[in-house]
Amino acid sequence: MRQSWNEQFAETPDVLKSARREQTVAPVLDFEIGGDEFITMAGPCSVETEFQLMATANRVRRAGARILRGGAFKPRSSPYAFQGLGLEGLKLLARAREESGLAIVTEVMSESDVPMVAEYADILQIGSRSMENYSLLEEAARSGRPILLKRGMMATVADLLRSAQLILDNGNPNVILCERGIRTFETAMRNTFDVAAIALLKQISHLPVIADPSHAAGHRDLVPALARIAVAAGADGLLVEVHPNPDKAWSDGEQSLDFDGFDDMMASLDPYLALREAARLRPMEAVG
Ligand code: PEP
Ligand code: MN
């Protein structure tokens, strides 16, 4: 007989749905992630300039985003590529929060930077390349900030859940899982968007699930379709890269939407969001 999901993921019991565990809703400013509201996080890959960040913050807020993303510390594939503005970038993010009212999510790459990043950010992002850096996860957990945990590009669902469990073990219940595409034999796109993982995670875990169609696709023209697929699969929200002038972006320009592209993508989600709301009227099932 087939194992139940609880048996299959027995190593990470606290991330699984059960009669004892309600859906996790992570509080951020005056709203929640994982609740009824669909949450969009949007912004540039990297914080570059004050103009770039403020203009993006204002436009994505108008289109319905709740959270501004932007990297101040960038884990680049090449050590010779732009590595981020560091503290200056964090300060720009804090200013953008003040001006726009958006919450801030930004990546923390090193254990020693956790207190500084936690001072400026509402949510700490653990990047794909850091998903299995357990000492970083422990330190980030102890900051008390909600953690956006991105799936490693070579990580299985079980690996992702192990990292989530570790954060819970360190006293932080507010883990937000993020599917951002994995490496497979397919090379036409930057990564393979594992939409099945979104459906599975929603089925087995009480943690919120965010989809990142930008890093999955690697090409901006595919981002809206992957975003719609993610909503249909039950995601609690999106993480999308947006830039005022994507062709001039200092990182990930090919996959960044411009402002009009972001408006169009957001408008195209409406019918999918309506279906999602209908599906959420059903009570949450515990996994057998
Ligand atoms: C990012 O969000 O810009 C990023 C570097 O993502 P990932 O860790 O998924 O590659
Ligand atoms: Mn990026």
Side-chain angles (χ1 to χ4, degrees):
M1 203 179 88
R2 180 195 157 269
Q3 280 184 314
S4 70
W5 295 118
N6 275 346
E7 286 164 342
Q8 187 169 336
F9 296 101
E11 218 189 325
T12 55
D14 297 333
V15 307
L16 301 180
K17 284 181 186 174
S18 75
R20 285 186 298 115
R21 290 190 190 86
E22 312 241 299
Q23 169 67 34
T24 292
V25 286
V28 182
L29 299 184
D30 61 345
F31 60 92
E32 301 172 326
I33 302 175
D36 290 339
E37 188 186 353
F38 186 83
I39 298 293
T40 301
M41 315 179 179
C45 181
S46 302
V47 178
E48 298 169 6
T49 65
E50 179 162 6
F51 168 78
Q52 170 238 24
L53 195 64
M54 302 304 159
T56 308
N58 289 330
R59 273 301 287 262
V60 301
R61 182 179 48 78
R62 258 197 279 153
R66 285 291 217 161
I67 300 175
L68 178 67
R69 62 144 288 140
F73 295 93
K74 294 305 303 174
R76 304 301 305 285
S77 301
S78 164
Y80 307 110
F82 174 61
Q83 306 290 315
L85 294 180
L87 178 58
E88 194 193 329
L90 296 177
K91 289 182 176 168
L92 287 175
L93 286 165
R95 205 169 315 148
R97 173 180 42 212
E98 243 169 70
E99 254 190 41
S100 65
L102 294 169
I104 299 297
V105 61
T106 196
E107 176 161 356
V108 58
M109 287 175 62
S110 119
E111 242 176 287
S112 57
D113 288 341
V114 167
M116 178 173 67
V117 178
E119 195 184 317
Y120 290 93
D122 300 290
I123 302 170
L124 299 184
Q125 174 171 325
I126 300 292
S128 262
R129 293 160 189 80
S130 302
M131 190 205 82
E132 287 174 300
N133 182 344
Y134 286 173
S135 50
L136 173 63
L137 294 180
E138 286 169 8
E139 193 61 28
R142 288 194 287 262
S143 75
R145 294 285 188 203
I147 308 288
L148 179 71
L149 179 64
K150 297 192 87 173
R151 180 180 180 185
M153 56 189 89
M154 308 285 277
T156 64
V157 166
D159 296 334
L160 174 65
L161 294 179
R162 259 193 295 275
S163 292
Q165 173 79 38
L166 182 75
I167 297 170
L168 299 185
D169 288 346
N170 281 274
N172 189 334
N174 295 315
V175 181
I176 303 150
L177 305 172
C178 180
E179 163 58 33
R180 49 77 75 203
I182 51 172
R183 292 224 162 133
T184 67
F185 61 80
E186 176 58 73
T187 55
M189 288 149 286
R190 185 175 182 183
N191 289 289
T192 297
F193 188 42
D194 189 1
V195 72
I198 297 174
L200 175 61
L201 290 168
K202 285 306 296 175
Q203 170 105 349
I204 64 177
S205 177
H206 56 84
L207 298 173
V209 178
I210 296 290
D212 171 356
S214 305
H215 292 86
H219 298 282
R220 76 182 68 113
D221 41 351
L222 284 172
V223 168
L226 298 199
R228 292 190 289 270
I229 293 166
V231 177
D236 294 290
L238 293 172
L239 178 76
V240 180
E241 287 188 336
V242 180
H243 192 284
N245 186 354
D247 291 332
K248 292 271 158 62
W250 298 0
S251 60
D252 284 351
E254 331 73 64
Q255 67 197 31
S256 298
L257 298 175
D258 64 15
F259 293 162
D260 289 343
F262 183 67
D263 288 346
D264 291 348
M265 183 209 80
M266 291 294 272
S268 80
L269 299 181
D270 284 347
Y272 297 81
L273 291 169
L275 288 173
R276 173 182 176 272
E277 263 155 49
R280 287 170 79 84
L281 294 177
R282 268 186 265 128
M284 195 165 84
E285 295 148 39
V287 278

